[in-house]
Amino acid sequence: MKLSSDITQHLAASGIRLTKQREQVLGVLLQKRDHPTAGELFLRVRRHVPSISLATIYNSLEALVDCGLVKQVHVDRAATRFCANLMNHSHFYCNHCGTVSDISVPRDSSWNLPPGFVVTQADVSLRGACPNCSKNSL
Amino acid sequence: MKLSSDITQHLAASGIRLTKQREQVLGVLLQKRDHPTAGELFLRVRRHVPSISLATIYNSLEALVDCGLVKQVHVDRAATRFCANLMNHSHFYCNHCGTVSDISVPRDSSWNLPPGFVVTQADVSLRGACPNCSKNSL
DNA sequence: AACTGATTTAGAACAATTCTTGATCTCATT
DNA sequence: AATGAGATCAAGAATTGTTCTAAATCAGTT
């Protein structure tokens, strides 16, 4: 597993130390982009670092989120999911198969808010049927 | 506390029984529209029905959500909040004072999804500063 | 090599929610 | 009014995802 210089720079810039554990967490997150939960990441990373603990997964994720390399995905109140897609995007949750797809984020201008509101973060999550499931259920 | 015939009809139509507990939960939710959590509702409703249990708050909310009279509001993974605003709307969470404001929902057309995705529910939550706080923090 | 602070680990603690069980209530039928 | 069936309620236990704590380990610096 090799991190792009892009990413290592990002890490250095934020002053976060690149430990074996963090490297693996990020690596696993980059490898299979299916928005895993902390628990799922734990199982995957453990294959490479058998001694890792769940707390370290959480710690690593916190560090990576803090330095902007990883984003959290919230769908309802289900377990937080994580993704390493740094593009500004939102998520689509399929009610049938449970997969989470990245989708491009709507134009900022589409929030027609009353005056005075200042938006710093927009969190859009859509639900419904993904292309696969909408095809099959017809 | 008197429920509008609109609402009682809605209840009857969904076949949910209007018990004292459910009536109070809905009443309290209609009375102060500040998007309380289940715990907050528990404290408020207990003033009218001292014997009510938290489990009943959850049960009542479930029934009311099922029949469409109440909506859940999710902001990150914090405790679920509830609101009785039946208009199609989204929520704005103020990072400074923590209040949740209703905002009108963006036009459906603004999700430009790849073909095949069928949206059944859109959950938009914005964060930032509400008019009050954006004014004061300058 | 010793020191300092950051990081890791394991498990305890926590908060929100759901589940379980037995008691109570409601309504329809007599 | 009494009965029975099913819905609802209350209390607390259980579950789940996450955070906290404390001790052990590690990395980089003197």
Side-chain angles (χ1 to χ4, degrees), chain B residues 17 38-39 54-55 58 78-80:
Chain B
R17 205 182 270 174
L54 181 54
Y58 277 105
T80 306

Side-chain angles (χ1 to χ4, degrees), chain A residues 2-122:
Chain A
K2 203 75 201 315
L3 300 180
S4 78
S5 66
D6 201 30
I7 285 172
T8 49
Q9 271 179 12
H10 208 305
L11 281 165
S14 333
I16 113 159
R17 199 132 86 188
L18 186 57
T19 63
K20 182 177 58 172
Q21 288 84 346
R22 289 174 183 164
E23 188 176 6
Q24 289 296 330
V25 170
L26 182 54
V28 164
L29 217 35
L30 286 165
Q31 197 170 73
K32 193 169 173 208
R33 297 167 160 266
D34 59 348
H35 307 85
T37 61
E40 286 163 355
L41 276 169
F42 178 45
L43 296 178
R44 293 182 199 173
V45 174
R46 203 163 51 172
R47 295 203 283 262
H48 304 101
V49 189
S51 68
I52 202 168
S53 82
L54 181 55
T56 300
I57 300 289
Y58 277 104
N59 289 340
S60 301
L61 286 169
E62 190 187 2
L64 293 167
V65 168
D66 281 355
C67 81
L69 276 173
V70 166
K71 280 184 160 183
Q72 294 181 309
V73 182
H74 295 285
V75 178
D76 291 353
R77 238 189 77 88
T80 306
R81 295 172 173 279
F82 297 86
C83 76
N85 177 351
L86 298 183
M87 301 300 296
N88 190 14
H89 67 286
S90 348
H91 296 97
F92 183 99
Y93 176 82
C94 177
N95 287 324
H96 302 268
C97 64
T99 59
V100 176
S101 316
D102 287 355
I103 57 178
S104 64
V105 88
R107 298 176 290 289
D108 270 8
S109 59
S110 56
W111 323 118
N112 55 333
L113 295 169
F117 283 96
V118 179
V119 177
T120 59
Q121 192 195 330

